[in-house]
């Protein structure tokens, strides 16, 4: 569980992960060394797994985003997973319960590129694809505060 100070640190960092230690300390009402120690402990506990940059795929020419449900054919589960892992257009993949084994998100520049990506696994899996029109909720963290 997180204490109030840790929750505040994470809330501030969710808004700006590049905030300076001095500014972060001021925002949470602590000294820089104290905040630094709190960050170190959050990292050790794997609450903070890393610091990242948010890149807009469209700025890199990826005009289409798709969600693909993937059901490997019998005996091809590991081969399909390896293909997904080795295909850079797949940005996320979850192994799930239910009829499909994987639900993956990918970015492509065109429908033709989407076909090329899916053609790599068509002999090993059934796929069902949906093109993302908008993303009303972008990936976000679970609530930090309970209640």
């Amino acid at each position: 569980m997180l204490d109030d100070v840790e929750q505040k640190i994470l809330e501030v960092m969710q808004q700006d992960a590049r905030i300076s230690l001095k500014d972060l300390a001021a925002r949470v009402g602590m000294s820089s060394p104290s905040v630094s120690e709190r960050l170190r402990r959050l990292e050790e506990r794997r609450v903070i797994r890393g610091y990242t940059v948010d890149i807009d795929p469209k700025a890199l020419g990826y005009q289409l985003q798709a969600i693909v449900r993937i059901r490997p054919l019998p005996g091809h589960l590991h081969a399909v997973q390896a293909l997904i892992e080795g295909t850079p257009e797949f940005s996320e993949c979850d192994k799930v319960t239910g009829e499909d084994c994987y639900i993956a998100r990918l970015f492509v520049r065109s429908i033709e590129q989407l076909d090329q990506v899916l053609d790599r696994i068509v002999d090993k899996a059934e796929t069902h694809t949906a093109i993302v029109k908008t993303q009303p909720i972008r990936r976000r963290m679970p609530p930090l505060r309970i209640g």
Side-chain angles (χ1 to χ4, degrees):
M1 300 304 289
L2 301 173
D3 66 23
D4 290 342
V5 172
E6 292 168 333
Q7 288 178 10
K8 183 65 177 166
I9 288 170
L10 293 174
E11 287 169 355
V12 171
M13 292 191 73
Q14 280 181 311
Q15 299 301 312
D16 180 8
R18 292 185 58 180
I19 191 169
S20 71
L21 191 56
K22 178 182 172 186
D23 290 341
L24 178 58
R27 296 265 310 267
V28 300
M30 296 177 71
S31 69
S32 292
S34 295
V35 170
S36 180
E37 176 62 19
R38 291 287 188 129
L39 286 172
R40 185 189 62 73
R41 289 194 315 237
L42 287 167
E43 290 169 358
E44 283 178 355
R45 290 174 27 213
R46 305 263 310 138
V47 173
I48 295 176
R49 294 185 295 187
Y51 302 86
T52 187
V53 62
D54 184 19
I55 297 171
D56 183 354
K58 286 187 178 185
L60 300 176
Y62 294 98
Q63 298 303 313
L64 296 173
Q65 183 179 164
I67 307 292
V68 184
R69 296 182 358 249
I70 303 166
R71 182 184 312 162
L73 298 173
H76 291 283
L77 180 71
H78 298 294
V80 169
Q81 184 168 329
L83 281 168
I84 294 168
E85 289 171 355
T87 303
E89 288 86 356
F90 285 105
S91 64
E92 295 180 56
C93 181
D94 295 311
K95 191 171 186 179
V96 298
T97 61
E99 292 184 24
D100 302 311
C101 289
Y102 301 102
I103 298 178
R105 180 179 301 269
L106 63 116
F107 292 93
V108 292
R109 291 185 167 96
S110 65
I111 291 293
E112 293 78 21
Q113 185 182 13
L114 176 62
D115 285 340
Q116 291 169 0
V117 169
L118 296 178
D119 284 347
R120 295 180 204 153
I121 61 174
V122 73
D123 62 330
K124 293 174 182 55
E126 293 179 17
T127 62
H128 299 276
T129 305
I131 301 296
V132 175
K133 295 182 348 180
T134 64
Q135 199 171 9
I137 299 175
R138 296 186 65 224
R139 177 178 288 242
R140 62 182 174 192
M141 301 305 303
L144 297 175
R145 298 182 189 272
I146 298 173

